[in-house]
Amino acid sequence: MRIDILCLFPEMFVSPFDCSIIKRARERGLVEVVVHNIRDYTHDKHRTVDDYAYGGGPGMVLKPEPIFEAVESIKKQVDYGGLPIILLTPQGRLFTQQVARELALHQNIMLVCGHYEGVDERVREHLITDEISIGDYVLSGGELAAMVVVDAVVRLIPGVLGSPLSFHSDSHSNGLLEYPQYTRPEVYRSWSVPAVLLSGNHGEIARWRRQQAILRTLKRRPDLAKQANLSTEE
Ligand code: 6GU
């Protein structure tokens, strides 16, 4: 998979993409992440990327020309018709595990980082194919949101995580929050690991985990519990 990111602050991505799972995935050639500076696609002496809003009001608006030129130049390199061109903006559809799974199916994706002051509407209308928000709060720019999207998508690429099954029990992957996890020691400060987990009875363990995941979801996120596929018994 190749992910192209267009933004105003490419240096923000250096350290987060050079650690842990994303770093390993890049080194193993499972994903290529290319970060572009929108400013490199300007032609004036001051490398201007924004301008005052027509009609007045506070805040600057990102100009269309550098964004169109950047996207069109990168599109030529990746040569892929169905490439989603995604604007990161608080006005987008909410990013969920379902959306991450959908993006992970693509060979290429392009992420365009907006800034909260806004992007010229013609970019949205004639260039962008999808708009994503990572939650109902305002960030100063789409860069952090793009990192969140890249992290959630990259870990779904086959081969990135150690075991092909390792994300099946993640919170949200089955519509429920994850069950409680324990590791050694068996007793810590007099607090014991639930006996069922030491029983070796895999059927009982699976049942207990499912029950815990359901209880935890009902208590913490009743909104999710409503949408989960629970059996009559559950
Ligand atoms: Cl994608 N961008 C900005 N600027 N703020 C956000 C966001 C994105 N998602 C939530 N808040």
Side-chain angles (χ1 to χ4, degrees), residues 88-90 132-135 137 139 141 145:
L88 281 313
T89 161
I132 287 178
S133 162
I134 62 163
Y137 40 80
L139 303 169

Side-chain angles (χ1 to χ4, degrees), residues 5-204:
I5 301 173
L6 266 82
C7 66
L8 293 176
F9 302 102
E11 64 277 17
M12 285 179 73
F13 294 88
V14 175
S15 162
F17 288 172
D18 206 29
C19 294
S20 187
I21 286 171
I22 298 184
K23 177 183 184 164
R24 204 158 42 98
R26 293 172 62 206
E27 286 173 351
R28 294 164 61 210
L30 295 169
V31 66
E32 184 186 3
V33 186
V34 189
V35 184
H36 309 265
N37 192 339
I38 294 171
R39 218 173 274 287
D40 291 342
Y41 295 84
T42 57
H43 303 290
D44 63 310
K45 186 165 131 237
H46 296 105
R47 315 218 307 151
T48 311
V49 291
D50 57 3
D51 205 340
Y52 298 101
Y54 274 119
M60 304 292 277
V61 176
L62 290 180
K63 292 165 65 59
E65 308 94 309
I67 301 179
F68 270 88
E69 286 188 35
V71 169
E72 282 161 3
S73 148
I74 297 158
K75 257 182 164 173
K76 281 183 200 141
Q77 295 169 39
V78 301
D79 174 40
Y80 184 76
L83 169 79
I85 303 170
I86 303 161
L87 180 68
L88 281 313
T89 161
Q91 301 176 34
R93 61 181 174 133
L94 195 60
F95 188 61
T96 60
Q97 192 62 24
Q98 177 55 42
V99 176
R101 279 194 287 261
E102 177 191 317
L103 297 182
L105 298 174
H106 288 89
Q107 200 58 247
N108 298 276
I109 60 176
M110 198 184 299
L111 301 175
V112 180
C113 301
H115 273 252
Y116 77 87
E117 307 92 330
V119 176
D120 187 285
E121 192 64 19
R122 289 164 291 191
V123 171
R124 290 201 148 91
E125 287 177 345
H126 305 293
L127 191 64
I128 295 298
T129 64
D130 194 4
E131 300 186 28
I132 287 178
S133 162
I134 62 163
D136 293 337
Y137 40 80
V138 179
L139 303 169
S140 347
E143 284 85 356
L144 287 167
M147 290 178 215
V148 167
V149 169
V150 169
D151 190 288
V153 170
V154 166
R155 60 195 295 291
L156 296 178
I157 298 172
V160 166
L161 297 183
S163 149
L165 298 177
S166 49
F167 49 72
H168 286 188
S169 62
D170 286 345
S171 288
H172 302 294
S173 74
N174 58 2
L176 295 172
L177 301 181
E178 198 184 7
Y179 49 77
Q181 298 268 31
Y182 294 87
T183 185
R184 285 188 286 189
E186 197 179 312
V187 181
Y188 177 64
R189 297 191 176 183
S190 85
W191 302 307
S192 303
V193 172
V196 59
L197 297 178
L198 310 172
S199 69
N201 183 334
H202 297 294
E204 276 302 306

